[in-house]
Amino acid sequence: MSDQIIGKSFGRYQITARLGEGGMASVYKAYDTRLDRSVAVKIIHPAQQNEQFLRRFEREGRALAGLNHPNIVQVIDYGDEGGIPYLVMVYEPGGSLKDRTGSPMPHRQAARMLIPIARALGYAHQVNIIHRDVKPSNILLTESDEPMLSDFGIAKLLEDQSATNLTSTGTGIGTPNYMAPEQWEGRVLPQSDIYALGVVFYELVTGRLPFTGDTPPAVMLKHITGNFPSPKTYVPDLPDEAVRIIYTALAKSPQDRFTSMADFAAALEAVANSPTAPAADMHTQVRVSIPPPAVPAAAPGTGSDD
């Protein structure tokens, strides 16, 4: 959606600037003329519009507005303008976690950043909502650097509108670089979010994605059958406890991952709060040992995560 929408109004929200764009929607900063405040407006791309979708959008919008967690960006309104659906969310001015990727982050800092996100996902799973598109650009930051998870339910909302199209990055089914093996097969489980958050943790501590490719099908094949380079390849002094978390979260089979986001959060807390977490404590939460380091793959491709 082009920037010609800037200056237009969606309901009482006047669009002032573009914040970002993905395969399914664009996000704009807007001015709420009734409450005199800045908000974020996510506008669904026109290709998604039809009467059935608008009905589903209204139903899902109500469900998303009912999510109440301190680390989930709150949906405060929804509607459609001339048949173009939009969600209105709290505006977070600190950018996104994507801005912090590209170089290794200290593992304790990365763990502390993701603990609130794991808890937020755990809360959503308890009310039977799976995010489906966990990635750094969907983790926003407040002015005080508190992480906030956004875009709940968007992938689910658009899922039935698009066939599984492996050439359309980020459309409907998720974002290829963060998708669990079962997602490529059309199955989505709470453990699919665990896998995606594991990819984010790997990316933060190494500065690299575990799997990349020049096309979504190439990325798919690596997620389903490939071995990722050990994070110690890039961060030799990374503690074994952090490595175990990555291998558990990125297990190919959902049942080999953490059993819940609560377990994932507990493992991250152990790493974040103890320089040498007791092995016995870690084994109560991590059910696999560290495999032998995989032979690093060929030089990463240019896969996009948006």
Side-chain angles (χ1 to χ4, degrees):
M1 189 170 293
S2 70
D3 286 348
Q4 65 184 8
I5 199 171
I6 294 174
K8 294 185 177 180
S9 293
F10 278 64
R12 70 180 200 245
Y13 309 101
Q14 185 175 15
I15 306 299
T16 59
R18 186 170 69 89
L19 297 176
E21 187 164 355
M24 60 184 79
S26 298
V27 183
Y28 294 87
K29 184 179 180 181
Y31 173 66
D32 184 339
T33 58
R34 182 180 300 170
L35 297 180
D36 189 23
R37 62 176 178 177
S38 293
V39 296
V41 177
K42 179 176 284 288
I43 299 174
I44 309 301
H45 289 168
Q48 306 295 341
Q49 300 167 25
N50 61 47
E51 184 177 349
Q52 181 182 8
F53 174 78
L54 290 176
R55 288 197 300 268
R56 292 187 65 237
F57 180 85
E58 181 176 2
R59 183 175 67 250
E60 296 293 340
R62 290 175 180 170
L64 297 177
L67 287 174
N68 183 17
H69 187 277
N71 293 99
I72 293 177
V73 176
Q74 186 179 5
V75 173
I76 54 180
D77 198 4
Y78 61 90
D80 70 87
E81 183 69 24
I84 301 177
Y86 63 90
L87 289 169
V88 183
M89 300 169 288
V90 172
Y91 172 64
E92 302 294 353
S96 76
L97 194 57
K98 183 175 173 57
D99 302 328
R100 312 285 179 91
T101 61
S103 60
M105 178 184 293
H107 67 276
R108 294 184 189 87
Q109 179 183 352
R112 292 188 189 103
M113 188 68 71
L114 296 186
I115 289 166
I117 300 303
R119 290 173 176 162
L121 287 164
Y123 159 79
H125 293 169
Q126 288 178 347
V127 295
N128 299 316
I129 295 179
I130 301 171
H131 190 287
R132 302 165 186 250
D133 198 19
V134 177
K135 57 184 177 180
S137 59
N138 280 340
I139 299 174
L140 307 184
L141 302 172
T142 67
E143 286 183 305
S144 60
D145 229 23
E146 181 76 9
M148 303 287 293
L149 190 60
S150 71
D151 273 14
F152 257 103
I154 299 299
K156 178 184 178 184
L157 185 63
L158 298 178
E159 193 169 63
D160 292 343
Q161 295 302 111
S162 304
T164 300
N165 182 355
L166 299 182
T167 64
S168 183
T169 300
T171 300
I173 58 173
T175 302
N177 286 332
Y178 301 87
M179 284 168 56
E182 66 273 9
Q183 271 186 279
W184 293 99
E185 300 167 353
R187 296 187 298 126
V188 182
L189 308 166
Q191 282 74 22
S192 305
D193 284 347
I194 288 173
Y195 185 96
L197 194 63
V199 174
V200 175
F201 188 50
Y202 183 105
E203 183 177 10
L204 291 181
V205 298
T206 68
R208 302 164 180 258
L209 287 161
F211 299 111
T212 60
D214 292 330
T215 64
V219 177
M220 174 193 69
L221 187 61
K222 290 181 180 180
H223 277 285
I224 294 175
T225 65
N227 294 320
F228 56 85
S230 167
K232 283 181 175 283
T233 303
Y234 310 114
V235 188
D237 60 349
L238 188 67
D240 288 348
E241 292 82 359
V243 178
R244 287 191 186 99
I245 289 174
I246 288 170
Y247 276 105
T248 302
L250 294 183
K252 300 296 185 187
S253 176
Q255 60 261 31
D256 291 332
R257 299 173 202 154
F258 293 100
T259 57
S260 69
M261 276 293 178
D263 287 345
F264 197 170
L268 290 170
E269 286 176 339
V271 166
N273 297 328
S274 175
T276 54
D281 291 345
M282 288 301 302
H283 285 311
T284 62
Q285 297 157 19
V286 180
R287 293 173 289 119
V288 299
S289 58
I290 303 172
V295 177
T302 58
S304 168
D305 73 338
D306 283 318

